[in-house]
Every structure is written in structure tokens, then in C-alpha cells.
């Protein structure tokens, strides 16, 4: 796990080494163990290393092939590097390190761009083929590792985090107002957008190539992998369970390969408990596990984690905290680079901090809910979608009446009351989207937002038109919610503390098996994730695991009435704060009064206002005159084929 950065300028020019060094240094938290910069012609590569495999200096990056004509920088891990190395050595390649990164360099020599399809891991990497004057960039299939870029008349720049791109002296401070509106509507910036007009994100499962001698420079983006549900009704649930058991066990074993101390997050839920059970199967000593809890018993899952740890015989570390959201907010604003509205970033940040005091690598259960239908909203929106499709008043009334039976029912009922009947509309409302949240925004931000996100979700649903509703929901989650929210949260929180987090449930072979599992094998009348439950019960007594699902969250509504209330009061009283260039201060004050007096719950729009305010302070941005700026359209959609873009 590391940080990467790079500069590509016009042919005949040379990158500014001081700028590249500053970009690379800004990523030191991702890689505190070593740093390197390489400039060849109009290309500059920078790397910060967190040493995990082969701790010697010979494995520092950029790392090349035998003659140095191929150079690689990698953020992430290649879990099948040993098998790739054996295959490449049999073909005559000579390795000089034990690093997983070197397998990419030799793999490029052997297979060219097709090397990305052979990699099993989490990655954002760059291959510089200096002999052919070509650069190839790729991001892993499900988006575990980040990759941002900026394309302008000056050239092409890329980095693991936006903060590195902000080191460019010529970069604009113009916001993308549509992205800002998305944050208030959904809690995060999604897809190819970033909060800054000039910065874009390479989507998961995509690669990008660029000819260093092109004039003008042009780059091509191509999708090499996409989650494609293909339910196979010929196999029974038992056969799927056995195959899943084998694939998950192997995925865990591969992720335990490290030359540094290793452990696991343990919440006591299905996913993390199963991962730890497999680790115990492969380990030669007690597995180190980590959990945090809150003093508020309604949000404290530490006892569940402790019970599972005792049963599996782990070396368990537990810290009970009352998360000091007031103190953490400014730091989180700097960590995430963009406004990020998921309040579970607080316990995630604290868990990573605690874990890094003991180990350098931690395995987690992320991905289980998305791949194996773990969210309550799957069952809820699926049932309501069936009812709402009935073209009778009775059917629509039944759907509205049933909405209150499910955890996300308030949003779903509101959607049904407004006549929302399409699958994508129900999906959005089950996810927590409410147009009511947008009423706090200034008109210019609402206008810039438009309905781009809803239209993208609708297109994603349409792309999977031949699938059952729940399979479509899962696929859309894996394209959007997982990479844009869940994995962003974990990557930034963990790398702030130089902790590598590995996700066996997001292994590509596990994901491709999950794509074949019919939803009826996964969702029962009262439970979800039936296959994972079946496997977990083999290792942990079901009485330790069977309890209502609770997300890794915080008592947000209470905090906004107590710990965070003074911050909101001061913010609303400060009429000159830049956040009021984006949000209607009167409307925010009105909602805060309703919330703290218990007459309603506006936790999320209030929280997002506070998060945005702290982010604006962290970047020192003045919003005066912002409303008159032009909204930049998104790049064209990425489908199966590549498309060319010329730099301005």
C-alpha cells in the first residue's frame, strides 16, 4: 500500500522536479518507509512506499525490469504475484527482488496491456514503457485503490489523492458545483467527478493509455472488467456454498502473505467473523483482532466482537471510546480531500488508528453486504418493487402500507407517495436519497446538480434490464455505492495511519462466483446473506451471530443535539462563513431548531452542512462569486470500447 504521483508534459519539455517531489511528499502518510522520483524525458514518476512485501531497499519504487526500459509504480498489492513470478521465470524473465510490483514490470514485457487481466489484487499502478514511449495506467476491478488525474493544455497529471494534484502551482480552485450538489444529495462525490472542476477520477475496472510523443497528447480510457451478474439456476445452494468456502479460504490465505505484522478488524458480525475464522485456519499462531466500541450501549458492538474473539481464540484488542466528533471533524476534512458525508468515517478512522499501533496490515469484511445482498434495503425495495408494479390502486396502497415494515421504509414510503415506481427510483430512495435534502441548497447549486446522478443510476439499471430487480440493485451498488463511499472511507482512514486494509470478500474470484448465485439463495423471508451465514455457522455458534443488523455507525441524531450542537450554533450565527454561499443559512437554522427540539430528524442535511463548512475551512476556499461559474460536463461514458480524448 503506497502513494503514487506523476507528471507528463508536452514532448520536448521536462517535468518540474520540485513540483513532482512536492506532490510525492504530500502522500508520505500513505508510504512513510521510502520515497522515489524518476524523470525520463517528458515523464516524471513519484512514489511513497509502505513496505509490506520484501522490506529491502531494492524493492523501492519506481521499480524496473532487467534493463530499466520498463518502470512501474504501484499503490496496492498483487496477491498472486508468486504464481505470476513462477510463470514469468519459466519464460526466461530474471527477477532481482521478492516484490509483487516486479511481477507487473515483467508481466508488461510478456503480455503488454493484457497484464492487468492477470492481476489478482487491489491496485492503482502505472507502467512506463520507455522504449516504446508509452504510459499505461490501471485501477483495480472494484475500486479499492484510488486514482485521480488532471488533463489540461500543460499536460497530464495523476496521483493517489487529490491533495497531491493540489500541489500544482497552476491548478484552478474552481469547484464543480454539480459534484458539490451530489455531496449534499448523497453524502459523497461519485463516478468520474471530483469536487474540483479540473480533477477527474479513473473509474474502477478501467485502464488508461497515453503516447508520450503525441502532439497533442491524447489518452484513451477503456474498461477491462465489470461485475456482470449471471445467475446459474442449475446449481443448488449447497454446491454454491462449497465452492464459496474454497474460494474464500484461498482469498484469505493469499491476503495473509506479508513480511510485517498482520491482523483483522472484528465487529462480531457475519463478514468479519468469517474472515477471522479463515485466518485462524491458516495461521500458525493466534490471530490479532481489533475492535472499538462506544460508551453508549445502543451503538456498542464491542461485546459481540469480544465473544467471537473468545470463541476463535484470537489475541483481541479492544478500545472503548466516545468518539470526539468535534475534535475529529477538521482532521477528517483534510484526510478526505473532498466533503465526505458518511458519519461512519469517525469510527473507521478511530479503528484504523488503534489497529496501526499493533500491526501494519489488517483484513476486513468489506464487500460482503454488496456482493451477498446484506443490506436490509435489498429485501425492502425488492418487495415494494413487486407490489408497486401492480397497476391497481390496491397494489400501490399495499406497497405504501408495507414500507413501514422495513428499516429504510420512511424513504421508500415517501418515494411511493410521490409516484416513484421505477426500479432505479426505489433503489435511490432505499439508499437514503431524498430531494428534501436539497431544499437547503442555494438555487445555483441545485440547478448545477440537476438530475445527473439519478439519470446515471437509471442508465445503470437499464444496462442490466434483463436481470431480476435485486440483481440490478446489487450491480448498481458495486458500480457506485461500494467504490464511491465504502471503499473511499476505508482507504483514506487507513492510509492516514499507514495501515494497509485487505478485503478477501472483494477478491475477483469470489466476486465472479457471487455473480452466479441467484438472489433467492441469498435472501430469505427474515434474513439476508444466507450463503455467508451458512459458512459462518460452521465456525462460530449462531447465537453469537444472529442479531439485528447494525451498521458501523454513530449516534448522529443525538450528537447533533449535544456534542455537535455548539458547532452548528456558531456556524449558523456566522453569516460571513463561506458555506452560506452554497447553503441557505435561514433554512439550515430552521431545520436545526426543528431537529434539536425533537420535532423532526434532519441529521443528514445538517451533518453534511457542517462537514462542508469544515472542508471549506481546511482548503481555505472563498465562495464569493462562485455562483456565476460555468458547470463542466462529465466526460463521455465509459462502455466496453475505448475512446480518445485530446488534451485542451
Amino acid at each position: 500500500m503506497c502513494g503514487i504521483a506523476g507528471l507528463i508534459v508536452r514532448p520536448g519539455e521536462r517535468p518540474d522536479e520540485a513540483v513532482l517531489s512536492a506532490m510525492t511528499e504530500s502522500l508520505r502518510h500513505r508510504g512513510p518507509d521510502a520515497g522515489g522520483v524518476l524523470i525520463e524525458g517528458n515523464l516524471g514518476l513519484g512514489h511513497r512506499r509502505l513496505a509490506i512485501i520484501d522490506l529491502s531497499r531494492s524493492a523501492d519504487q519506481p521499480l524496473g525490469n532487467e534493463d530499466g526500459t520498463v518502470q512501474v509504480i504501484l499503490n496496492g498489492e498483487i496477491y498472486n504475484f508468486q504464481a505470476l513470478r513462477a510463470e514469468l521465470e519459466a519464460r526466461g524473465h530474471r527477477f532481482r527482488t521478492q516484490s509483487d510490483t516486479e511481477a507487473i514490470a515483467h508481466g508488461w514485457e510478456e503480455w503488454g496491456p493484457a497484464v492487468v487481466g492477470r492481476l489478482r489484487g487491489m491496485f492503482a499502478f502505472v507502467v512506463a514503457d520507455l522504449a516504446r514511449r508509452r504510459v499505461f495506467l490501471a485501477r483495480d476491478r472494484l475500486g479499492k485503490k484510488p486514482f485521480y488525474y488532471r488533463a489540461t493544455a500543460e499536460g497530464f497529471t495523476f496521483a493517489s489523492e487529490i491533495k497531491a494534484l493540489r500541489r500544482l502551482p497552476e491548478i484552478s480552485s474552481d469547484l464543480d458545483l454539480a459534484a458539490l450538489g451530489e455531496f449534499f444529495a448523497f453524502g459523497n462525490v461519485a463516478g468520474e467527478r471530483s469536487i474540483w472542476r479540473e480533477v477527474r477520477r479513473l473509474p474502477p475496472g478501467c485502464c488508461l493509455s497515453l503516447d508520450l510523443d503525441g502532439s497533442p497528447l491524447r489518452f484513451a480510457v477503456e474498461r477491462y472488467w465489470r461485475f456482470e451478474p449471471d445467475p446459474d439456476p442449475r446449481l443448488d445452494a449447497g454446491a454454491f456454498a462449497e465452492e464459496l468456502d474454497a474460494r474464500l479460504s484461498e482469498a484469505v490465505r493469499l491476503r495473509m502473505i506479508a513480511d510485517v505484522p498482520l491482523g483483522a478488524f472484528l465487529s462480531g458480525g457475519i463478514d468479519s467473523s468469517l474472515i477471522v475464522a479463515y485466518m485462524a485456519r491458516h495461521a500458525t499462531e493466534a490471530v490479532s483482532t481489533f475492535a472499538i466500541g462506544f460508551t453508549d450501549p445502543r451503538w456498542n458492538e464491542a461485546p459481540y466482537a469480544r465473544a467471537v474473539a473468545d470463541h476463535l481464540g484470537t489475541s483481541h484488542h479492544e478500545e472503548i471510546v466516545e468518539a470526539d466528533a468535534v475534535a475529529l471533524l477538521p482532521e477528517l476534512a483534510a484526510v478526505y480531500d473532498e466533503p465526505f458525508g458518511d458519519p461512519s468515517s469517525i469510527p473507521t478512522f478511530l479503528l484504523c488508528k488503534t489497529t496501526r499501533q499493533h500491526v501494519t496490515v489488517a483484513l476486513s469484511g468489506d464487500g460482503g453486504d454488496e456482493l451477498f445482498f446484506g443490506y436490509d434495503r435489498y429485501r425492502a425495495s425488492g418487495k415494494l418493487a413487486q407490489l408497486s408494479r401492480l397497476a391497481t390502486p390496491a397494489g400501490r396502497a399495499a406497497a405504501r402500507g408495507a414500507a413501514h415494515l422495513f428499516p429504510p421504509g420512511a424513504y421508500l414510503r415517501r418515494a411511493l407517495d410521490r409516484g416513484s415506481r421505477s426500479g432505479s427510483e426505489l433503489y435511490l430512495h432505499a439508499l437514503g436519497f431524498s430531494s428534501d435534502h436539497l431544499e437547503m441548497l442555494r438555487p445555483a447549486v441545485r440547478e448545477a446538480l440537476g438530475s445527473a446522478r439519478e439519470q446515471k443510476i437509471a442508465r445503470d439499471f437499464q444496462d442490466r434490464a434483463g436481470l431480476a430487480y435485486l440483481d440490478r440493485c446489487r450491480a448498481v451498488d458495486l458500480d457506485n455505492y461500494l467504490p464511491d463511499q465504502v471503499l473511499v472511507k476505508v482507504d483514506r482512514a487507513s492510509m492516514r495511519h499507514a495501515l494497509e486494509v485487505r478485503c478477501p470478500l472483494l477478491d475477483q474470484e469470489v466476486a465472479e462466483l457471487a455473480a452466479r448465485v441467484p438472489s433467492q439463495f441469498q435472501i430469505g423471508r427474515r434474513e439476508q446473506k444466507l450463503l455467508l451465514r451458512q459458512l459462518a455457522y460452521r465456525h462460530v455458534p449462531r447465537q453469537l451471530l444472529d442479531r439485528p443488523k447494525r451498521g458501523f455507525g454513530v449516534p448522529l441524531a443525538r450528537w447533533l443535539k449535544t456534542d455537535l450542537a455548539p458547532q452548528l450554533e456558531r456556524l449558523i450565527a456566522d453569516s460571513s462563513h463561506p458555506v452560506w454561499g452554497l447553503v441557505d443559512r435561514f433554512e439550515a437554522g430552521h431545520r436545526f431548531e426543528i431537529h434539536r427540539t425533537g420535532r423532526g430528524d434532519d441529521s443528514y442535511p445538517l451533518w453534511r452542512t457542517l462537514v462542508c463548512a469544515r472542508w471549506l475551512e481546511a482548503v481555505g476556499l472563498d465562495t464569493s462569486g462562485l455562483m456565476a461559474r460555468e458547470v463542466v460536463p462529465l466526460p463521455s461514458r465509459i462502455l466496453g470500447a475505448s475512446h480518445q480524448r485530446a488534451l485542451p
Side-chain angles (χ1 to χ4, degrees):
M1 194 78 73
C2 305
I4 61 175
L7 289 171
I8 301 172
V9 295
R10 293 187 181 100
E13 298 181 359
R14 181 178 174 83
D16 187 324
E17 185 171 355
V19 171
L20 179 58
S21 296
M23 292 173 62
T24 305
E25 183 63 21
S26 74
L27 301 172
R28 174 180 285 270
H29 56 285
R30 299 185 71 94
D33 297 327
V37 169
L38 172 70
I39 294 180
E40 289 284 344
N42 61 329
L43 167 69
L45 300 176
H47 189 265
R48 288 299 317 183
R49 184 183 181 206
L50 176 62
I52 301 292
I53 295 173
D54 188 347
L55 308 185
S56 70
R57 295 304 303 269
S58 64
D60 288 351
Q61 300 176 40
L63 193 153
N65 61 345
E66 296 95 332
D67 61 7
T69 57
V70 174
Q71 295 289 329
V72 178
I73 51 176
L74 166 69
N75 169 27
E77 297 290 347
I78 308 303
Y79 300 123
N80 63 334
F81 77 98
Q82 293 170 327
L84 290 173
R85 178 184 179 124
E87 182 179 356
L88 289 162
E89 286 181 328
R91 292 171 178 262
H93 294 267
R94 300 189 309 277
F95 285 70
R96 61 181 176 84
T97 76
Q98 299 301 314
S99 166
D100 58 329
T101 305
E102 193 173 3
I104 300 176
H106 294 287
W108 174 266
E109 289 183 290
E110 190 69 34
W111 303 303
V115 67
V116 70
R118 292 175 170 263
L119 303 179
R120 186 176 181 179
M122 57 177 181
F123 51 78
F125 69 83
V126 178
V127 175
D129 190 328
L130 301 177
R132 295 180 176 86
R133 303 291 295 157
R134 183 180 182 187
V135 176
F136 180 82
L137 310 89
R139 190 177 177 203
D140 64 65
R141 293 164 179 82
L142 290 163
K144 293 184 281 292
K145 294 292 98 189
F147 205 120
Y148 294 91
Y149 67 90
R150 172 181 181 260
T152 70
E154 290 76 36
F156 187 90
T157 318
F158 58 86
S160 295
E161 296 183 16
I162 295 174
K163 58 174 56 69
L165 297 179
R166 297 294 298 166
R167 295 298 189 275
L168 296 169
E170 71 277 9
I171 194 167
S172 166
S173 291
D174 289 351
L175 294 180
D176 184 329
L177 292 189
L180 187 69
E182 284 189 351
F183 160 72
F184 279 99
F186 299 93
N188 60 281
V189 179
E192 292 187 70
R193 292 191 185 279
S194 85
I195 200 67
W196 303 102
R197 288 182 60 185
E198 292 186 351
V199 177
R200 289 291 179 257
R201 182 169 16 200
L202 184 66
C206 288
C207 52
L208 185 156
S209 57
L210 191 147
D211 180 359
L212 289 173
D213 292 330
S215 184
L217 291 171
R218 293 180 181 271
F219 63 99
V221 177
E222 186 172 359
R223 183 178 295 282
Y224 68 87
W225 189 90
R226 191 185 193 193
F227 182 78
E228 295 291 356
D230 185 21
D232 187 348
R234 296 171 298 176
L235 297 179
D236 60 23
F240 275 120
E242 293 308 314
E243 188 172 354
L244 178 60
D245 177 64
R247 291 197 186 190
L248 259 181
S249 180
E250 176 68 0
V252 170
R253 185 191 69 79
L254 289 174
R255 283 159 180 78
M256 294 178 69
I257 298 172
D259 296 330
V260 292
L262 176 145
F265 296 156
L266 181 61
S267 69
I270 295 289
D271 302 336
S272 65
S273 299
L274 183 57
I275 296 304
V276 172
Y278 284 122
M279 292 178 71
R281 173 190 293 179
H282 296 297
T284 57
E285 57 186 28
V287 176
S288 295
T289 54
F290 302 89
I292 65 168
F294 295 109
T295 53
D296 186 338
R298 294 169 296 179
W299 295 88
N300 185 24
E301 291 195 315
Y304 305 120
R306 193 182 316 126
V308 172
D310 289 344
H311 177 79
L312 295 175
T314 74
S315 175
H316 192 58
H317 306 262
E318 176 185 299
E319 184 174 347
I320 303 297
V321 297
E322 180 59 58
D324 188 352
V326 176
L328 277 179
L329 269 177
E331 184 171 4
L332 290 176
V335 165
Y336 283 93
D337 279 343
E338 301 177 282
F340 187 73
D342 185 347
S344 68
S345 59
I346 293 173
T348 301
F349 184 88
L350 294 169
L351 176 60
C352 291
K353 182 179 181 179
T354 296
T355 303
R356 186 61 174 92
Q357 295 170 8
H358 303 273
V359 300
T360 310
V361 176
L363 274 63
S364 85
D366 288 321
D369 286 325
E370 290 80 11
L371 279 173
F372 296 95
F373 299 97
Y375 294 120
D376 292 324
R377 56 183 164 82
Y378 287 128
R379 191 160 49 95
S381 59
K383 293 294 185 185
L384 297 182
Q386 291 176 350
L387 290 169
S388 66
R389 280 197 296 269
L390 297 176
T392 64
R396 292 190 289 273
R400 287 193 296 272
H404 75 279
L405 299 175
F406 302 101
Y411 290 121
L412 287 166
R413 181 161 186 162
R414 189 177 303 162
L416 293 166
D417 285 341
R418 293 178 176 176
S420 301
R421 294 178 57 194
S422 73
S424 63
E425 289 175 323
L426 288 172
Y427 167 85
L428 282 168
H429 285 276
L431 197 61
F433 168 74
S434 172
S435 57
D436 290 348
H437 294 173
L438 306 182
E439 293 174 4
M440 286 175 56
L441 297 180
R442 292 285 188 183
V445 181
R446 288 203 304 270
E447 181 181 348
L449 171 63
S451 58
R453 185 83 168 267
E454 296 97 310
Q455 290 171 1
K456 181 184 184 302
I457 297 297
R459 287 196 304 268
D460 290 346
F461 262 79
Q462 185 59 37
D463 286 347
R464 270 80 173 215
L467 297 172
Y469 175 74
L470 289 176
D471 286 313
R472 296 165 82 182
C473 288
R474 177 178 60 165
V476 172
D477 262 349
L478 288 164
D479 283 348
N480 297 274
Y481 180 72
L482 178 73
D484 295 335
Q485 184 159 326
V486 176
L487 296 178
V488 167
K489 173 184 67 178
V490 174
D491 176 80
R492 304 306 189 278
S494 60
M495 294 314 299
R496 172 62 180 82
H497 302 290
L499 174 73
E500 175 167 300
V501 176
R502 300 175 173 181
C503 311
L505 285 163
L506 291 176
D507 181 270
Q508 70 191 67
E509 294 195 4
V510 173
E512 288 166 356
L513 175 62
R516 296 168 47 213
V517 181
S519 58
Q520 63 265 29
F521 292 171
Q522 300 275 35
I523 300 179
R525 293 184 62 186
R526 299 182 182 277
E527 294 178 327
Q528 290 97 249
K529 281 195 295 197
L530 297 182
L531 282 183
L532 288 185
R533 284 180 181 275
Q534 182 179 334
L535 296 183
Y537 293 156
R538 298 178 183 182
H539 305 279
V540 180
R542 63 185 304 156
Q543 62 266 25
L544 297 183
L545 299 174
D546 286 354
R547 63 182 191 274
K549 181 176 177 59
R550 178 191 295 165
F552 193 39
V554 299
L556 184 61
R558 178 175 64 81
W559 280 1
L560 288 166
K561 297 176 184 177
T562 55
D563 302 63
L564 291 171
Q567 280 202 55
L568 272 171
E569 289 172 350
R570 289 193 296 270
L571 180 63
I572 292 168
D574 182 4
S575 60
S576 64
H577 196 284
V579 76
W580 305 129
L582 310 170
V583 178
D584 187 309
R585 187 167 71 100
F586 176 83
E587 181 67 20
H590 176 65
R591 291 192 179 216
F592 179 46
E593 183 62 25
I594 290 175
H595 181 86
R596 69 176 175 182
T597 56
R599 290 178 286 150
D601 186 350
D602 274 314
S603 300
Y604 283 101
L606 291 171
W607 169 254
R608 291 166 188 170
T609 299
L610 190 54
V611 167
C612 187
R614 297 296 169 255
W615 178 78
L616 289 169
E617 293 167 7
V619 298
L621 191 66
D622 181 4
T623 60
S624 61
L626 190 63
M627 299 303 108
R629 291 177 182 166
E630 175 189 4
V631 178
V632 175
L634 272 174
S636 52
R637 294 181 63 217
I638 296 175
L639 300 174
S642 65
H643 57 277
Q644 298 283 331
R645 302 178 197 164
L647 302 186

